[in-house]
Amino acid sequence: MLAKLGPLNPDDMADLRFSLEAVPDPRSRRGRWYSLASILLVCAAAAVSGARTIEELAEWGARADTGLLAALGVRRHLLRWRHAPSRSAVGRVLERLDADALDAAVGAWLAHRHTTAAPGRRRVIAVDGRALRGSARLSQPRRHLLSAVTHGRPVTLAQAEVGSKTNETRHFQPLLAPLDLDGDVVTFDALHSVKANVAWLVETKKAHYVAVIKPNQPTVWAQLDGLDWHAVDIQHAASNKGHGRRESRSVKTLAIADNLGGIAFPHAKLALRVHRRRKVTGRKETRETVYAVTSLDAHQAKPAELASHLRGHWIVEAQHHIRDRTFAEDASTVHAGNAPRVMASLRNLAIGALKALGATNIAKTTRAIRDQPQRALPILGITYKPDLNGT
């Protein structure tokens, strides 16, 4: 699996340590032995190696040889031994860490990696929410995160804790505000199809959008449903089958004429109708019609591309599957302080770094790195020379 990543030259990648050095240290200056950057680098290398829990983060450090620890910035004791931070030391740091600062550092580093991997290509970014199920306790509800994730190779550019799913819409602008979205396309589901947020996205961030519209927005939905779709031919169709199901999709688009009243949605230029048929083995066929609007016009995006944007948003759910199956996120019972969100950030870092390098199977890749832990360092942009680092 590692061979698929190709030769890893850390000189061609941004060094993660420089991004992590911007994260403020929550500890008192007195009694520090490990630098914050070295602790976070150990955690990042462990996450790339498939570590799922705080215990596994610390265990990776305990197994690392002195050369690896030296490359990660772990100081040598006066008695010349070099030990990784303990589980309790790692846990205390993750609980107290400034999670906003860490997400900003990780997001900026991953954004650079994503741009380097696909230079000059228009980014398509999905805004999507995610609950950390195991973080709930009797005294506190489960943590809920809102993320901005690229389509295709899923890379998390920004992440914020929103408290609950109902709070997602008011965190839409703060989540995207730090990102340079000029010319990018942002996709989101009906929950985020809020006119004020969409207008801000186009007018302030100079981005485009593809927004799904559902009956909970009755005026816009009725306008879209009332368009003369029967007079329009199908402009794109696709189908796929596998895992015991068969699915087909057809797409129609209509230009929205302002002089005919337009659509009660800001900057909408095209209306989309997607008709989906799905047949699961042993069950009846289901049919669904989905409406959407976009600020892209017919010259900026073809029906096949718009269909890809819509389907790409749904496929972002595949990243949740990776986080569950490979990193056991739903089974995680980490709940103290900021540790649940920090662990999610480390998973984002691992998945994004590996996807940017072309990894197709994260589970197999992390297992291969676990067997060759020195391979984790160049993935993070860190030079590792055993003959020098062990001294």
Side-chain angles (χ1 to χ4, degrees):
M1 293 303 298
L2 292 180
K4 293 184 178 181
L5 302 184
L8 300 177
N9 183 1
D11 294 335
D12 297 334
M13 307 176 191
D15 191 330
L16 178 61
R17 79 181 74 214
F18 298 126
S19 297
L20 295 181
E21 285 173 353
V23 180
D25 196 327
R27 301 169 296 170
S28 169
R29 290 184 176 273
R30 186 176 182 180
R32 290 184 196 172
W33 179 260
Y34 302 101
S35 68
L36 179 63
S38 68
I39 294 176
L40 294 179
L41 285 172
V42 168
C43 293
V48 169
S49 303
R52 299 179 170 191
T53 64
I54 295 178
E55 288 78 8
E56 290 181 8
L57 297 179
E59 288 169 3
W60 186 94
R63 292 193 304 268
D65 59 34
T66 57
L68 284 174
L69 295 178
L72 294 172
V74 175
R75 292 172 56 193
R76 185 171 58 187
H77 193 270
L78 294 176
L79 298 179
R80 304 189 65 80
W81 50 258
R82 201 187 305 264
H83 288 173
S86 66
R87 190 271 177 226
S88 59
V90 172
R92 286 194 300 269
V93 167
L94 300 194
E95 290 171 14
R96 299 167 56 193
L97 197 66
D98 184 336
D100 288 330
L102 178 65
D103 274 327
V106 170
W109 186 77
L110 287 174
H112 181 268
R113 292 291 296 275
H114 185 266
T115 303
T116 303
R121 186 180 302 175
R122 173 192 280 170
R123 294 187 304 183
V124 186
I125 301 167
V127 175
D128 194 39
R130 166 76 170 164
L132 302 178
R133 297 181 181 178
S135 63
R137 288 296 180 273
L138 291 176
S139 59
Q140 66 181 29
R142 66 179 59 171
R143 310 292 181 86
H144 198 91
L145 304 177
L146 183 65
S147 303
V149 184
T150 57
H151 288 211
R153 295 178 177 179
V155 171
T156 302
L157 304 178
Q159 179 175 267
E161 187 167 347
V162 300
S164 66
K165 187 175 181 66
T166 55
N167 289 333
E168 283 189 20
T169 54
R170 66 185 181 89
H171 285 85
F172 183 90
Q173 293 187 28
L175 176 77
L176 299 179
L179 302 180
D180 180 6
L181 299 176
D182 192 356
D184 293 337
V185 178
V186 179
T187 65
F188 38 86
D189 58 22
L191 178 66
H192 293 287
S193 296
V194 177
K195 295 179 183 179
N197 287 343
V198 171
W200 170 85
L201 188 65
V202 175
E203 297 166 9
T204 303
K205 302 301 290 183
K206 309 302 179 186
H208 293 288
Y209 69 85
V210 179
V212 173
I213 304 297
K214 290 187 176 180
N216 62 342
Q217 293 183 298
T219 301
V220 185
W221 191 89
Q223 289 177 324
L224 293 173
D225 189 53
L227 294 175
D228 189 10
W229 294 107
H230 295 291
V232 181
D233 293 331
I234 293 174
Q235 296 159 320
H236 173 74
S239 61
N240 63 287
K241 60 181 179 179
H243 303 288
R245 64 177 179 268
R246 184 177 68 254
E247 185 176 276
S248 62
R249 300 169 300 280
S250 61
V251 178
K252 295 181 178 183
T253 66
L254 272 173
I256 297 172
D258 290 334
N259 60 343
L260 297 179
I263 292 291
F265 207 78
H267 305 284
K269 294 183 179 179
L270 282 178
L272 292 81
R273 195 202 76 162
V274 181
H275 187 66
R276 294 197 300 236
R277 295 185 178 186
R278 188 178 185 185
K279 177 69 170 67
V280 178
T281 302
R283 299 182 183 179
K284 293 183 178 180
E285 181 181 81
T286 61
R287 300 184 181 188
E288 180 185 19
T289 298
V290 176
Y291 294 118
V293 291
T294 178
S295 60
L296 295 162
D297 60 34
H299 301 289
Q300 294 172 310
K302 296 180 179 179
E305 187 176 1
L306 293 170
S308 176
H309 293 343
L310 281 172
R311 182 152 179 81
H313 183 85
W314 299 323
I315 289 177
V316 168
E317 294 291 329
Q319 190 192 33
H320 296 169
H321 181 76
I322 295 172
R323 289 166 64 162
D324 288 340
R325 298 300 297 271
T326 302
F327 293 97
E329 185 168 78
D330 278 348
S332 173
T333 57
V334 175
H335 64 278
N338 290 329
R341 178 175 167 188
V342 172
M343 290 296 294
S345 301
L346 293 172
R347 297 178 193 115
N348 291 338
L349 171 64
I351 296 169
L354 294 174
K355 285 291 186 180
L357 288 171
T360 55
N361 189 315
I362 298 297
K364 289 184 178 180
T365 304
T366 54
R367 286 197 298 269
I369 297 171
R370 189 181 309 151
D371 295 334
Q372 303 178 47
Q374 69 277 8
R375 292 297 298 265
L377 272 63
I379 291 171
L380 304 177
I382 298 172
T383 301
Y384 173 60
K385 298 179 180 178
D387 56 333
L388 298 178
N389 290 325
T391 59

